[in-house]
Amino acid sequence: MSDSHLELTGVDIEFPTPKGPFQALDDINLKVDEGEFISLIGHSGCGKSTVLNIVAGLHQATRGGVLLDGREVDQPGPERAVVFQNHSLLPWLTVYQNVELAVKKVFKGRMSRAEMRDWINHNLALVHMDHAAHKRPDEISGGMKQRVGIARALAMQPKVLLMDEPFGALDALTRAHLQDSLMEIQADLGNTVIMITHDVDEAVLLSDRIVMMTNGPAATVGEILPIDLPRPRDRLALADDPAYNHYRHEVLTFLYEKQKKVEEIAGSSAETATSQTKASGKAKERVA
Amino acid sequence: MNPNLSLKTPRAVAPFVKLARGESPRAQLDVLFRTVGLPIIGLLVFLMLWSGVAAKIDTSLGQFPGPAQVWNQAEALYVEHVTERDKAAAFYERQEERIAERLANDPDYEPRIHDYPGKPTFFDQIVTSLITVLSGFVIASILAIPLGIVIGLSSNLYSAVNPLVQIFKPVSPLAWLPLVTIVVSAVYVTDDPMFEKSFLTSMITVVLCSLWPTMINTAVGVNSISSDLLNVSKVLRLGWLTHVVKIVLPSSIPMIFTGLRLSLGIAWMVLIAAEMLAQSPGLGKFVWDEFQNGSSDSLARIMVAVLVIGLIGFFLDRGMLALQRAVSWDKTATLR
């Protein structure tokens, strides 16, 4: 039927709230080719993370669905590895063990012990973290943790790499450094990537296409901007490049003119709804 | 200041070392005063108040014991213990001699070793109490941790079980004890009992009372795992067992230990009460016997027991804390 690698068709999602269902996403359609780097950009609360979570299988679309290589996505799985915003490393395991947990699960029976060890070390080397393999997450910096998070995701050999604002919590210099690393890795491995970002420069620099989302509720794809800049891309050279600046301008225009945020509070309700469902059943009385 | 110093030298010694090195003597003396001086002052003030107040209380058994009398009785209890041990050794020695003699005369004789009939000393009672409390606590933990995990993993189960737990948690051991005693007598009927009934009764009472804090805290710990870590587990499609072992258990370790420490504290308190009421061997029975005995030394001997009970409770808690530090990935567990 369809020959695209990843396809979102008519995705709607509603979250139950005390005031009735809240529609966060409305009719999201997107086709992604193999090896493509897609950025999702939009104001906070527009449901970018929800889109990513649906592709990851962590949320189920109310209507519509996701096809990966012709198969429907109905649960999370390592072929759609996620790099979480706050790294989500297990604090009781070393850097090596964190990656090992993923490798053991994904390649069990397909790799020997020695092969697994090499593969883990290979992925840590890819993100330049091989020197800290035996440190725990609380002994390394935020940027390093995020590198390990990326290594863990890459080590699963995913068909699609999903990144939820991977560099959002980092300082500007570390972020630039990691963006360059990510570009190198993606050039080497040719991963299909969907990345959520708030950062216009990051989106233009890294992406093949930028998917710009309208404001919620009932957010949808506003515009899709193909970025036709030659790779490898160099941030210094691009700073003065007219094409690069034109793309930046396009994204900024979309965000600050076409989808200007009218009211801060109204827009954040989508995130409130998601976090409510996440938190439900969590707030238990602590009895000591 | 050298921040690494505290890693190499124990905390209590560090100020002395620094003082000897001549590192900012003023600051070191200050630290010394706070860590060593103040606790000593507190202890001295307490001893003074104690002897002052004790001198003013006259009871039917004479004056309330002050620190000096209590210390004397502590020594007396130790001497009693040593003499009793000597007597026991002599008793077994005589017995063996007699058996050897009889065997020489009559090779067909099958020797029977009689137990020493002397009554247990204070130290025997301590050991009995410790064995009882630890068996009860271990059994309670073996039940409570898996139950807590299962309950914590399912919000529905949590809602179903929580009211029950809340009702049973505040029940006093003294209310359980008669039921436990009767049930143990009825159910535990063997010709060759492996355990004393009194031991089983106290232990089961301890289990019933120390189950709840561990269970609730484990459930809460399991239930409050960060959703990010749960998502990691989902993306990796970890199986149930791997999920529990690799994600759930380590991340709830701090809460499990909070529960264990509460449980052990409760277990120790419950045990003393249970032993007193059930007349089963242990420190509680020692206190009760002394109370019934009513000699002029009894109050001081009870006071020794009170202090020993307190000290053991304190060391049990420290032991749990040390265990937590050894087991937990989170090395920031604080002394509380």
Side-chain angles (χ1 to χ4, degrees):
Chain A
M1 250 183 350
S2 83
D3 47 9
S4 57
H5 183 48
L6 177 73
E7 188 170 352
L8 283 76
T9 321
V11 169
D12 291 7
I13 195 163
E14 286 171 358
F15 293 111
T17 66
K19 285 181 271 175
F22 170 84
Q23 188 174 15
L25 296 177
D26 178 36
D27 195 27
I28 304 271
N29 290 289
L30 183 64
K31 288 183 180 181
V32 182
D33 290 329
E34 195 155 1
E36 222 183 347
F37 196 120
I38 302 278
S39 286
L40 284 177
I41 200 165
H43 289 289
S44 56
C46 73
K48 305 182 293 283
S49 290
T50 313
V51 173
L52 198 83
N53 283 338
I54 290 172
V55 178
L58 293 167
H59 284 329
Q60 297 300 318
T62 313
R63 279 176 294 279
V66 180
L67 289 177
L68 176 62
D69 287 337
R71 290 182 60 185
E72 192 181 358
V73 167
D74 54 3
Q75 61 165 326
E79 77 279 5
R80 283 161 283 117
V82 186
V83 176
F84 296 94
Q85 183 173 9
N86 51 355
H87 68 79
S88 294
L89 299 178
L90 308 181
W92 48 87
L93 297 181
T94 63
V95 163
Y96 181 90
Q97 288 167 329
N98 263 288
V99 181
E100 187 185 38
L101 182 70
V103 170
K104 268 192 175 164
K105 175 65 191 167
V106 176
F107 296 102
K108 194 178 173 187
R110 285 197 278 155
M111 273 190 189
S112 70
R113 224 165 241 279
E115 280 172 327
M116 280 192 194
R117 198 183 54 231
D118 291 346
W119 177 242
I120 295 164
N121 286 326
H122 168 76
N123 279 286
L124 286 174
L126 214 55
V127 295
H128 308 295
M129 281 304 295
D130 38 344
H131 62 283
H134 297 290
K135 290 199 168 161
R136 297 205 182 200
D138 57 358
E139 296 169 326
I140 58 179
S141 70
M144 290 166 131
K145 283 180 213 169
Q146 206 51 271
R147 284 174 186 274
V148 179
I150 294 171
R152 178 173 66 185
L154 288 172
M156 300 178 206
Q157 256 182 357
K159 289 178 180 168
V160 186
L161 183 62
L162 304 170
M163 306 177 94
D164 190 353
E165 287 186 54
F167 313 132
L170 305 175
D171 65 275
L173 286 173
T174 313
R175 193 186 310 158
H177 205 66
L178 280 182
Q179 286 164 354
D180 292 342
S181 290
L182 182 60
M183 273 197 287
E184 269 173 41
I185 291 167
Q186 210 249 344
D188 275 359
L189 305 177
N191 294 90
T192 311
V193 182
I194 299 181
M195 180 180 77
I196 291 179
T197 181
H198 273 128
D199 182 337
V200 176
D201 287 293
E202 181 172 280
V204 177
L205 182 68
L206 296 176
S207 312
D208 295 315
R209 283 191 293 158
I210 301 178
V211 175
M212 294 177 275
M213 291 187 59
T214 64
N215 289 336
T220 187
V221 175
E223 287 176 31
I224 297 179
L225 179 70
I227 306 292
D228 197 10
L229 292 170
R231 286 179 190 270
R233 296 173 184 169
D234 175 59
R235 68 175 68 242
L236 282 179
L238 286 174
D240 281 337
D241 188 300
Y244 176 81
N245 283 317
H246 165 72
Y247 290 131
R248 281 193 71 215
H249 190 256
E250 290 268 313
V251 179
L252 289 170
T253 309
F254 178 87
L255 289 177
Y256 297 105
E257 279 178 14
K258 299 178 191 167
Q259 289 296 323
K260 195 173 173 189
K261 284 211 111 175
V262 189
E263 200 186 355
E264 194 60 36
I265 297 119
S268 65
S269 55
E271 257 173 16
T272 321
T274 11
S275 59
Q276 263 171 5
T277 51
K278 279 178 202 161
S280 68
K282 291 281 172 249
K284 285 282 145 58
E285 191 189 355
R286 182 187 253 208
V287 187
Chain B
M1 290 261 254
N2 178 2
N4 293 324
L5 190 67
S6 56
L7 291 176
K8 281 177 283 183
T9 47
R11 227 168 23 146
V13 189
F16 292 104
V17 176
K18 286 182 189 164
L19 200 60
R21 283 191 198 157
E23 280 180 52
S24 52
R26 188 69 205 245
Q28 297 313 321
L29 284 175
D30 210 45
V31 172
L32 261 185
F33 178 69
R34 266 185 288 119
T35 54
V36 184
L38 284 181
I40 290 180
I41 290 174
L43 190 65
L44 288 178
V45 169
F46 169 73
L47 289 177
M48 265 155 54
L49 281 176
W50 177 9
S51 53
V53 172
K56 292 207 167 64
I57 303 178
D58 277 315
T59 68
S60 54
L61 300 178
Q63 200 190 59
F64 192 83
Q69 291 97 304
V70 170
W71 180 250
N72 287 340
Q73 281 311 313
E75 283 179 337
L77 283 169
Y78 178 70
V79 172
E80 269 171 38
H81 174 72
V82 174
T83 23
E84 199 72 2
R85 277 293 132 88
D86 289 344
K87 276 197 212 160
F91 173 81
Y92 286 117
E93 211 173 297
R94 280 201 307 279
Q95 196 168 226
E96 268 172 42
E97 276 171 23
R98 227 176 299 143
I99 289 169
E101 225 169 88
R102 257 189 94 162
L103 271 177
N105 298 338
D106 172 16
D108 295 334
Y109 173 66
E110 280 185 21
R112 270 192 307 152
I113 308 279
H114 295 278
D115 285 338
Y116 177 63
K119 81 177 182 62
T121 65
F122 182 61
F123 292 88
D124 295 332
Q125 304 283 39
I126 293 178
V127 172
T128 312
S129 282
L130 277 175
I131 290 173
T132 318
V133 81
L134 289 178
S135 336
F137 173 70
V138 166
I139 291 176
S141 307
I142 289 172
L143 291 173
I145 294 175
L147 274 175
I149 289 174
V150 172
I151 293 167
L153 283 174
S154 149
S155 296
N156 291 338
L157 202 56
Y158 187 98
S159 310
V161 175
N162 192 40
L164 285 175
V165 174
Q166 299 302 337
I167 288 170
F168 285 125
K169 197 165 65 84
V171 174
S172 156
L174 307 181
W176 281 119
L177 197 66
L179 293 176
V180 174
T181 313
I182 303 284
V183 170
V184 166
S185 318
V187 175
Y188 191 70
V189 189
T190 53
D191 294 330
D192 180 26
M194 206 160 81
F195 307 106
E196 299 275 334
K197 272 186 186 159
S198 60
F199 167 80
L200 282 181
T201 309
S202 334
M203 194 197 71
I204 292 172
T205 310
V206 167
V207 170
L208 285 174
C209 293
S210 67
L211 202 59
W212 315 113
T214 304
M215 197 161 112
I216 290 284
N217 278 282
T218 304
V220 170
V222 168
N223 203 258
S224 52
I225 297 174
S226 109
S227 58
D228 285 325
L229 297 188
L230 292 179
N231 281 342
V232 170
S233 176
K234 282 185 199 156
V235 167
L236 285 174
R237 278 198 206 143
L238 295 183
W240 189 84
L241 195 66
T242 325
H243 173 66
V244 168
V245 172
K246 295 275 182 181
I247 312 267
V248 172
L249 211 51
S251 87
S252 32
I253 281 265
M255 280 300 278
I256 293 179
F257 269 96
T258 304
L260 286 176
R261 283 174 64 195
L262 284 167
S263 278
L264 188 56
I266 288 180
W268 185 237
M269 284 205 282
V270 161
L271 178 75
I272 304 298
E275 285 170 348
M276 270 173 100
L277 194 76
Q279 290 293 294
S280 54
L283 278 170
K285 182 161 180 345
F286 174 85
V287 170
W288 188 253
D289 287 348
E290 287 301 333
F291 174 59
Q292 295 295 326
N293 191 13
S295 83
S296 54
D297 292 336
S298 289
L299 289 180
R301 288 160 84 96
I302 292 175
M303 202 60 203
V304 174
V306 166
L307 294 177
V308 166
I309 290 168
L311 274 175
I312 291 176
F314 172 75
F315 285 121
L316 286 176
D317 190 54
R318 281 301 117 116
M320 280 310 290
L321 199 66
L323 188 65
Q324 174 171 15
R325 290 224 171 109
V327 170
S328 178
W329 48 274
D330 185 8
K331 300 294 176 198
T332 54
T334 45
L335 291 161
R336 257 170 299 159

